[in-house]
Amino acid sequence: MKVSKGSYESEISKAITQWEKDYLGRGSVSVKTDILRDMVIVNLQGILTRAEYNVCETKEGMLTIKKTRSELVESGIEDLKNIILTITGEEVKSFHSDISSRTGERVMVFKLFNDFEKNI
């Protein structure tokens, strides 16, 4: 039986949420994953704590939070790549991520070696 694109997206969202809880100690409020050509785009809402929002009120504080959060995610990159490989069967070529200190949203982009959407 062929697995639908939506099923892959849902499974990736669940796995990344679980990774956040296990690795970072807390999960985001909501996660939405989209598969587009050779990319897996993950949008995570509500990742900052109330204290982090307060720290982000200054430019220095915002840069500190962004740097710290980025380093935390980067330190777990192999786990994240394995999640994508396990679910899709595709290897990750590159990983890109950014966080908005204003909205508390993180975007992760996994660039794959192949056009996974075409193969679904």
Side-chain angles (χ1 to χ4, degrees):
M1 185 170 129
K2 191 171 181 181
V3 179
S4 72
K5 180 178 167 184
S7 294
Y8 281 113
E9 292 168 340
S10 176
E11 195 172 339
I12 291 168
S13 292
K14 287 177 191 168
I16 289 182
T17 298
Q18 190 60 51
W19 174 84
E20 284 184 303
K21 289 177 182 176
D22 295 344
Y23 191 75
L24 302 175
R26 66 184 294 270
S28 51
V29 173
S30 70
V31 180
K32 173 76 171 100
T33 299
D34 292 294
I35 296 169
L36 178 64
R37 295 185 300 274
D38 62 343
M39 294 177 286
V40 176
I41 304 161
V42 184
N43 184 345
L44 304 104
Q45 299 284 332
I47 65 162
L48 294 179
T49 65
R50 286 182 36 212
E52 287 171 321
Y53 278 116
N54 288 339
V55 172
C56 285
E57 289 178 3
T58 66
K59 183 174 181 176
E60 182 180 318
M62 184 240 344
L63 293 173
T64 300
I65 295 297
K66 284 181 79 138
K67 182 178 185 291
T68 302
R69 284 296 191 125
S70 178
E71 288 173 356
L72 287 170
V73 169
E74 289 287 338
S75 71
I77 189 62
E78 290 308 314
D79 292 340
L80 291 168
K81 287 179 177 180
N82 283 332
I83 287 169
I84 301 300
L85 176 62
T86 300
I87 294 170
T88 67
E90 295 287 336
E91 287 197 43
V92 175
K93 184 184 347 182
S94 60
F95 172 76
H96 310 274
S97 180
D98 195 21
I99 186 172
S100 169
S101 59
R102 186 165 291 128
T103 64
E105 172 183 59
R106 173 184 295 285
V107 175
M108 296 178 170
V109 179
F110 298 88
K111 187 92 161 114
L112 309 175
F113 282 97
N114 299 301
D115 185 339
F116 181 65
E117 184 180 34
K118 187 169 63 174
N119 297 330
I120 300 176

